[in-house]
Amino acid sequence: MTAPPLLFGCDFSSSPSRRKPIVLAFGALAGARVRLGRLQPFESLRDFGAWLAAPDQRWVGGFDLPFGLPRELVQALGWPTDWAACMDHYAGLSRADIRARFAAFCAARPVGAKFAHRVTDGPAGASPSMKWVNPPVAFMLHAGVPLLRAAGACLAGVMPHEPRAAKLALEAYPGLLAREVLGRRSYKSDTRARQTPERLAAREHLLAALACGAGPAGPLRLGLRLDLRPAQHERLLADGSGDALDAVLCLMQAAWALRRQREGATCHGLPEGIDPLEGWIISA
């Protein structure tokens, strides 16, 4: 009997290190409950890529990185509008090239409309995937998508649907679920001096909502509850950077997609009519 695929959420970094690693949160889905297993850091893109590409490994992962660029941007730059060809072209650029080209694109546009957006950015409340600073999601795409493609993963929303794919990558966004509970309250910071009691209280509030499956406005959109052991709860609270908690939020979104697939939904719960050049954030 084939073992079920690994289920995880990924808090991604385009420049991982010991201080700021890539973090995976592994878990298991049972009905409407998600049980957190282990947390695993990766301190280099090479090690992370090797893990993703390990042979005979099956997984479903929610990745906090964009899978595509805005069609408006791609067309304005004269890049290929086929997703695979566009990603090949994008991967061949340096980060300095990307920064210069995107900055020139923004400079030619009016105040208030500097960035081009994907359709999914609106309902998800996400930063534009062409943004190169605060957060540098353009570089996250540049670093992460080639690793997923090299691993032989099926990237939902931008590649043809493969219901039996051994490795399924879903674009996740932890802010979508966090804001449902916290609104605009901040729960994390990479700067130690800004890891305040207020942000600690926000993480505690968020974890309580995930545990009971409800926020200020009622049941959470995913219809799932998070099961944590006491030590795991304390670890997530103590991590002022929020990296581990963000990985758990991505795990919850991946579990939602897996549950939708088990219930017979096509394309893991993604809406119909997605632009395959841009992709879509799961559950948005």
Side-chain angles (χ1 to χ4, degrees), residues 37-88:
R38 72 183 191 276
L39 297 169
Q40 182 173 348
F42 290 88
E43 298 175 4
S44 73
L45 292 172
R46 182 182 62 184
D47 289 347
F48 183 52
W51 183 87
L52 291 172
D56 302 323
Q57 182 163 259
R58 300 172 64 244
W59 49 255
V60 175
F63 294 82
D64 182 18
L65 65 103
F67 288 178
L69 292 166
R71 178 171 290 274
E72 179 185 6
L73 171 71
V74 172
Q75 291 177 331
L77 295 176
W79 293 355
T81 54
D82 171 77
W83 179 81
C86 183
M87 291 299 100
D88 287 342

Side-chain angles (χ1 to χ4, degrees), residues 11-17 20 22 45 95 136-144:
D11 180 64
F12 188 74
S13 170
S14 58
S15 300
S17 64
K20 184 73 172 175
I22 296 167
L45 292 172
R95 292 187 184 183
V137 285
F139 297 155
M140 292 164 68
L141 188 161
H142 185 259

